Amino acid sequence: MIAACLGCCARIRGDSREAGSVGTASAAPTVPRSLGSYAELCEQAVREPHVFWGRFARDMLVWDTPYHTVEDCDFSQGKISWFLGGQLNVSVNCLDRHVQKFPDRVALIWEKDEPGTEVKITYRELLETTCRLANTLKKHGVRRGDRVAIYMPASPLAVAAMLACARIGAVHTVVFAGFSAESLAGRINDAKCKVLITYNQGVRGGRIVELKKIVDEAVKNCPTVKHVLVAHRTDKKIHMGNLDVPLEEEMAKENPVCAPEIMDSEDMLFMLYTSGSTGKPKGLVHTQAGYLLFAAVTHKHVFDCQQGDVFGCVADIGWITGHSYVVYGPLCNGVTSVLFESTPIYPNAGRYWETVQRLKINQFYGAPTAIRVLLNHGDAWVKKYDRSSLRTLGSVGEPINQEAWEWLHKVVGDSRCTVVDTWWQTETGGICIAPRPSEEGAEILPSMAMRPFFGITPVLVDEKGKVIEGGDVSGALCIARAWPGMARTIYGDHQRFVDAYFKAFPAACAFIVLKDDIDNSDVILNELKSIVATKIAKYAVPDQILVVKRLPKTRSGKIMRRLLRKIITDNAQNMGDISTLEDPSVISEIIKAYQKHKAKLS
């Protein structure tokens, strides 16, 4: 198979140049005229990727050593290399060069859990904090190539920890600070982390999260961890064991200057774990130059982000969205990035919009799950606050339904903001499909990602993995060519990477939840099969469709698909860690439904 199949489920539509856009007539195009039209840029990115990406790499990144080859990629082997021969340092690109020009510009606004207690960090302050933390890591034995685990919620110190690793050539792996001790230990051990950085406690939605206690439990089973650097988010004193180091005290002793390590373009920058279908976490590896460039270019052009903007991505840094559009993309572009510590409904359902008013946020990027929750709380919470600073509204995560899209556009955006429904995932590194950038005046259809970003080549393939061409055809969506931001491998298991993303895909099984109790579900199932066959393709009709009362979701609303895979592959006795489930009892419900379904088939 020549394409990278990334489980794509984006709703994509070819470029449209009709006038009369849906709610975007007042939005400026995001492609500068000096660069050419959207169609010209897309064509050049495919025809001459070395020219296209070479120009962006020269213009947007600071290099210690120029690259000699833009790309060397072979999907048949899962080989992806960009900007060969080039050397740079990611933290220099995110900090030092901006400090030279505008040291007192705000880099981060830490929107803490309690409204009105935000903290602003300038680029100069963030650089000094990063250097002190980098020197602390070096003092405790961290060297180039060593792995460092970060178990912290969104905060300036967490961002500094990521950048400190980048500065000294260490590889960071951020673990979402809501995962259990078992999940944390599994990731630490897979990465063989030498140091772990954490807080004494976390604060979210008015509640205290005992992070250090979780860490203590995890490191009992992590023999590679030599030191645990502990910062303080709250005043509560905690037990400090033999491995523990008081981070703020140690940083205060260190020099606020740290010489950056010069890194090769394809050296590892970070690993980010996703839950694999086997239950064993997959450590997706992202490298230096290609990832940073793609995050910066997509951030700038999808969101029309300009110098002086306040960019508000409310994702946690534990996810790829937080990496690309809270930290690396915005800081590389020299704008102000918001770090959101709280929840959408704390202390009330107006939290996002009060924050927009107070911080004068220009771009807001959030998840459909949160949007749907806020929609159900009514319009009054939105209209209570001034949202005139907003220009772009973004959706990330699972597909956004039309009702939520319309509400976001009409109520939150007052029918004047561009709405970009973005499709991408951990493996892609950055946004692959979105309504913007586009031709000037091109329409945006509700709840559709619509257009491939520059250099992204979507293809349709049949059940045998053969590319389908021509008009009025349907198939599975894959991506035919490499792009700079894509993951390079799965840490320690490149063959798994090749098997998962570059080989033909299995047939599908669908789990559905009906809105109402229906006696004769067979009628509904037949209708669903007909819709899939008509709208997608006959071969895409699921082999099995199972009606369940609810799906296994995390507290943030994400569906844990790996658990569904285990159930249908009769591997339910080995579920792995399910501590992040909102309600673990849903598993037994689904197993019973599946057993009943199998009995019916036999």
Side-chain angles (χ1 to χ4, degrees):
M1 186 174 181
I2 66 167
C5 185
L6 298 170
C8 303
C9 59
R11 290 138 308 162
I12 180 173
R13 172 185 169 120
D15 181 49
S16 177
R17 298 178 177 80
E18 300 95 323
S21 60
V22 181
T24 59
S26 62
T30 58
V31 181
R33 294 179 186 275
S34 60
L35 295 179
S37 70
Y38 171 74
E40 290 170 342
L41 289 169
C42 285
E43 194 274 335
Q44 186 191 48
V46 172
R47 176 174 46 85
E48 300 177 308
H50 58 289
V51 175
F52 179 87
W53 289 112
R55 175 175 59 184
F56 275 114
R58 288 191 303 272
D59 292 346
M60 297 187 70
L61 299 183
V62 174
W63 298 87
D64 289 284
T65 304
Y67 52 86
H68 56 67
T69 303
V70 171
E71 65 160 330
D72 181 14
C73 304
D74 181 357
F75 271 6
S76 66
Q77 301 178 47
K79 176 185 177 183
I80 307 105
S81 298
W82 286 83
F83 309 114
L84 285 81
Q87 294 181 313
L88 79 175
N89 185 277
V90 166
S91 76
V92 169
N93 277 271
C94 291
L95 298 175
D96 302 58
R97 64 168 172 168
H98 304 313
V99 171
Q100 292 175 4
K101 296 178 181 178
F102 34 77
D104 295 324
R105 175 180 290 179
V106 175
L108 303 173
I109 302 178
W110 185 19
E111 176 61 12
K112 298 171 73 172
D113 196 50
E114 290 298 327
T117 61
E118 74 273 11
V119 176
K120 296 182 179 180
I121 310 293
T122 67
Y123 273 92
R124 178 172 54 196
E125 291 169 336
L126 183 56
L127 175 59
E128 291 179 355
T129 302
T130 296
C131 288
R132 289 184 188 276
L133 213 166
N135 287 327
T136 302
L137 288 172
K138 290 169 68 174
K139 178 180 178 180
H140 288 84
V142 178
R143 300 291 180 262
R144 179 178 180 143
D146 287 343
R147 275 77 62 204
V148 175
I150 300 172
Y151 187 65
M152 309 171 84
S155 63
L157 196 59
V159 174
M162 296 167 72
L163 294 170
C165 290
R167 196 164 192 87
I168 64 175
V171 179
H172 66 71
T173 180
V174 182
V175 181
F176 173 59
F179 278 171
S180 67
E182 181 182 359
S183 293
L184 176 59
R187 285 153 174 78
I188 290 173
N189 288 331
D190 187 77
K192 298 179 176 62
C193 294
K194 196 171 188 178
V195 166
L196 169 62
I197 308 175
T198 191
Y199 273 121
N200 63 333
Q201 294 179 315
V203 183
R204 191 167 188 264
R207 298 179 179 180
I208 296 295
V209 182
E210 298 292 349
L211 297 179
K212 181 56 165 51
K213 288 183 179 179
I214 296 171
V215 165
D216 288 343
E217 187 65 28
V219 296
K220 290 178 183 177
N221 302 305
C222 299
T224 62
V225 173
K226 304 303 180 187
H227 301 285
V228 177
L229 307 185
V230 185
H232 281 74
R233 172 62 183 87
T234 68
D235 294 331
K236 183 177 180 180
K237 293 184 178 180
I238 54 172
H239 170 72
M240 298 289 281
N242 294 332
L243 298 179
D244 300 333
V245 176
L247 182 55
E248 290 98 340
E249 291 181 23
E250 291 297 305
M251 286 175 61
K253 302 173 186 176
E254 296 297 332
N255 196 314
V257 176
C258 176
E261 189 80 12
I262 297 176
M263 306 298 292
D264 293 336
S265 292
E266 285 299 323
D267 284 338
M268 277 198 292
L269 174 61
F270 67 85
M271 289 188 289
L272 192 58
Y273 282 86
T274 65
S275 298
S277 58
T278 64
K280 180 183 178 184
K282 295 185 295 184
L284 273 301
V285 171
H286 284 283
T287 53
Q288 308 276 332
Y291 166 79
L292 182 65
L293 180 67
F294 196 69
V297 173
T298 50
H299 172 258
K300 178 177 175 61
H301 292 289
V302 171
F303 299 101
D304 188 26
C305 202
Q306 308 295 328
Q307 292 294 302
D309 280 351
V310 176
F311 187 81
C313 174
V314 292
D316 191 274
I317 59 165
W319 311 121
I320 188 63
T321 304
H323 281 56
S324 298
Y325 301 114
V326 174
V327 182
Y328 288 113
L331 295 183
C332 185
N333 287 331
V335 303
T336 299
S337 182
V338 175
L339 289 164
F340 188 76
E341 184 183 42
S342 193
T343 74
I345 55 173
Y346 181 78
N348 54 55
R351 179 59 187 273
Y352 278 166
W353 323 124
E354 188 275 335
T355 302
V356 166
Q357 172 184 287
R358 178 164 36 84
L359 303 185
K360 296 180 171 54
I361 292 173
N362 303 113
Q363 294 89 8
F364 177 86
Y365 196 31
T369 303
I371 298 303
R372 285 192 290 271
V373 168
L374 297 177
L375 183 159
N376 291 331
H377 280 81
D379 299 355
W381 284 111
V382 182
K383 295 181 178 179
K384 181 178 179 180
Y385 300 103
D386 178 9
R387 290 151 284 111
S388 59
S389 61
L390 288 171
R391 297 200 314 271
T392 305
L393 299 169
S395 170
V396 59
E398 74 277 14
I400 187 170
N401 59 304
Q402 183 157 341
E403 180 187 14
W405 190 99
E406 295 281 3
W407 186 80
L408 187 64
H409 173 235
K410 294 177 180 177
V411 178
V412 176
D414 288 329
S415 298
R416 61 175 180 78
C417 294
T418 303
V419 179
V420 288
D421 174 19
T422 62
W423 176 85
W424 62 295
Q425 54 198 54
T426 305
E427 292 83 347
T428 73
I431 295 166
C432 286
I433 303 174
R436 295 287 188 261
S438 67
E439 299 289 9
E440 184 174 2
E443 70 175 343
I444 292 179
L445 299 180
S447 68
M448 291 189 72
M450 300 186 70
R451 301 179 180 96
F453 192 75
F454 307 130
I456 302 298
T457 308
V459 293
L460 295 176
V461 299
D462 62 18
E463 67 274 16
K464 296 180 180 179
K466 182 180 179 181
V467 175
I468 307 169
E469 297 180 339
D472 194 26
V473 295
S474 60
L477 177 63
C478 296
I479 302 177
R481 296 175 180 268
W483 62 99
M486 68 186 299
R488 301 307 198 247
T489 190
I490 292 173
Y491 183 70
D493 196 346
H494 189 68
Q495 189 58 49
R496 185 183 181 192
F497 181 68
V498 174
D499 292 342
Y501 301 112
F502 299 94
K503 292 189 176 180
F505 41 86
C509 174
F511 289 79
I512 66 168
V513 178
L514 301 178
K515 287 187 175 181
D516 304 306
D517 291 331
I518 297 175
D519 295 331
N520 190 2
S521 61
D522 289 340
V523 175
I524 300 296
L525 300 187
N526 289 331
E527 287 181 3
L528 284 172
K529 291 179 181 178
S530 177
I531 291 171
V532 172
T534 302
K535 298 291 186 181
I536 304 177
K538 288 184 178 179
Y539 80 83
V541 174
D543 295 325
Q544 302 180 65
I545 300 180
L546 180 62
V547 177
V548 294
K549 293 181 179 179
R550 51 189 181 143
L551 294 170
K553 293 185 178 182
T554 65
R555 290 181 287 276
S556 63
K558 182 179 180 181
I559 298 172
M560 296 186 71
R561 289 174 173 82
R562 71 171 176 85
L563 302 181
L564 298 176
R565 292 190 192 100
K566 283 186 173 293
I567 291 172
I568 64 171
T569 56
D570 294 319
N571 196 23
Q573 72 279 1
N574 183 28
M575 283 292 182
D577 181 34
I578 60 172
S579 63
T580 57
L581 278 178
E582 184 177 30
D583 183 0
S585 68
V586 69
I587 297 298
S588 58
E589 286 182 15
I590 297 174
I591 291 174
K592 288 179 182 177
Y594 179 63
Q595 290 172 342
K596 184 177 179 181
H597 171 74
K598 283 205 306 181
K600 183 179 179 181
L601 292 178
S602 62

